[in-house]
Amino acid sequence: MGKQSLTAAQIEQYNQDGYLILKGFFNQEEVSKLYQIAIEDSIMSKNAINVNDSSGKRSKLSLWYKPGDDVYGLLTRGSSLINTVDKLLDGDASVCHFHSKLMQKEPRVGGAWEWHQDYGYWYKNEFLLPDQMMSVMVAITDANQENGCLQVIKGSHKMGRVEHGFSGEQVGASQRYVDLALKTMELIYVELQGGDVLLFHSNLLHRSEANLSDKPRWSMISCYNRASNIPYNDSASSNSSITPIDIVPDEALLTWQTSGLREDEAEFLVKEADVALK
């Protein structure tokens, strides 16, 4: 399918369901380059945070704020992806990069993520406008039910923000409201192939199971915000969430000389500094 421009029907589907899948948005060459650099990226692994689920299974994530000229930044800043995000976010201010994270669910040990909304976390950063925020998941490896693919509750973004509390080391949505949502809305297992992209609203309820397979499930999630949506409690991100993105051509991902993250540029999240975990 490639990096086609969104249709009116796709925009309507996103607004109705709270998410949209774009098959084959990135080709195999692009995904392979990303994966090869990621698995050998010592700076990425050095800054990975271990997060335990309620059963004690562990997932690793690395989260950073500034998208540079590394392979992840070039993917995040690609013109077609930013154009797609721009069509789906409410408002018309510039698109900004809040943060990106590499999610690594290793075989047999990769833990679950509890039901939550991204805005359930970001609300603590005092962003006021959830319709101006979204997440974009790029499948680096295939994601299916066996290896713990994302699950979403279709249309749950229309519920608004649900109260969140702690579950293990994670922040999760009120189970009562999750149960009520599941009574009235459809549970979707978002199975993706490497290169597929999932775009979802900041208030969409989602979770994932532990990886019980013998294959890793790696994905990269980039979170976007409008420059008009100011966070009033966000000292960690150095204003990345309200700094317009320096857009690069799509072909930069393959044609520019690039490598992994640079520690002095990326601005990694330190677990102790995350307001959502307090």
Side-chain angles (χ1 to χ4, degrees), residues 194-205:
D196 294 349
V197 164
L198 168 71
L199 306 105
F200 57 101
H201 189 281
S202 68
N203 268 332
L204 187 75
L205 281 164

Side-chain angles (χ1 to χ4, degrees), residues 50-68:
N50 291 316
V51 182
N52 294 329
D53 65 17
S54 53
S55 74
K57 278 187 174 289
R58 176 177 293 177
S59 287
K60 285 194 301 185
L61 74 87
S62 306
L63 186 151
W64 64 96
Y65 294 102
K66 286 199 170 178

Side-chain angles (χ1 to χ4, degrees), residues 120-141:
Y121 290 64
W122 303 341
Y123 181 78
K124 289 195 174 183
N125 297 116
E126 297 177 358
F127 290 98
L128 302 182
L129 303 170
D131 291 342
Q132 295 193 8
M133 308 184 82
M134 70 182 304
S135 297
V136 178
M137 171 185 273
V138 178
I140 300 175
T141 61

Side-chain angles (χ1 to χ4, degrees), residues 41-198:
D41 192 339
S42 60
I43 301 299
M44 181 74 77
S45 56
K46 176 186 165 188
N47 287 278
I49 297 170
N50 291 316
V51 182
N52 294 329
D53 65 17
S54 53
S55 74
K57 278 187 174 289
R58 176 177 293 177
S59 287
K60 285 194 301 185
L61 74 87
S62 306
L63 186 151
W64 64 96
Y65 294 102
K66 286 199 170 178
D69 287 336
D70 51 82
V71 67
Y72 321 98
L74 297 182
L75 180 145
T76 298
R77 295 159 51 208
S79 60
S80 290
L81 187 59
I82 300 306
N83 184 49
T84 298
V85 169
D86 193 33
K87 284 187 163 71
L88 296 177
L89 288 177
D90 187 39
D92 54 12
S94 297
V95 175
C96 307
H97 173 265
F98 181 20
H99 60 251
S100 287
K101 49 187 182 267
L102 187 71
M103 312 291 287
Q104 304 158 59
K105 277 200 181 188
E106 299 303 347
R108 307 288 176 194
V109 297
W113 287 92
E114 316 297 340
W115 281 113
H116 69 280
Q117 301 162 311
D118 288 343
Y119 189 62
Y121 290 64
W122 303 341
Y123 181 78
K124 289 195 174 183
N125 297 116
E126 297 177 358
F127 290 98
L128 302 182
L129 303 170
D131 291 342
Q132 295 193 8
M133 308 184 82
M134 70 182 304
S135 297
V136 178
M137 171 185 273
V138 178
I140 300 175
T141 61
D142 292 354
N144 49 51
Q145 290 190 44
E146 190 185 5
N147 69 11
C149 70
L150 209 69
Q151 302 168 34
V152 304
I153 303 179
K154 189 175 180 179
S156 58
H157 65 304
K158 294 187 174 181
M159 294 166 58
R161 185 183 71 91
V162 173
E163 204 59 53
H164 283 61
F166 280 95
S167 181
E169 285 190 317
Q170 298 178 28
V171 177
S174 159
Q175 193 58 46
R176 172 65 177 162
Y177 276 86
V178 169
D179 292 342
L180 292 173
L182 289 168
K183 282 177 185 283
T184 54
M185 303 173 197
E186 189 179 358
L187 172 64
I188 305 290
Y189 287 85
V190 183
E191 296 198 305
L192 303 172
Q193 295 177 305
D196 294 349
V197 164
L198 168 71

Side-chain angles (χ1 to χ4, degrees), residues 6-17 19-20 88:
L6 288 185
T7 65
Q10 286 173 312
I11 295 170
E12 171 60 25
Q13 184 185 344
Y14 174 85
N15 290 329
Q16 191 66 30
D17 298 343
Y19 71 96
L20 181 67
L88 296 177

Side-chain angles (χ1 to χ4, degrees), residues 200-214:
F200 57 101
H201 189 281
S202 68
N203 268 332
L204 187 75
L205 281 164
H206 59 286
R207 75 179 293 265
S208 61
E209 288 280 11
N211 181 1
L212 302 177
S213 77
D214 57 4

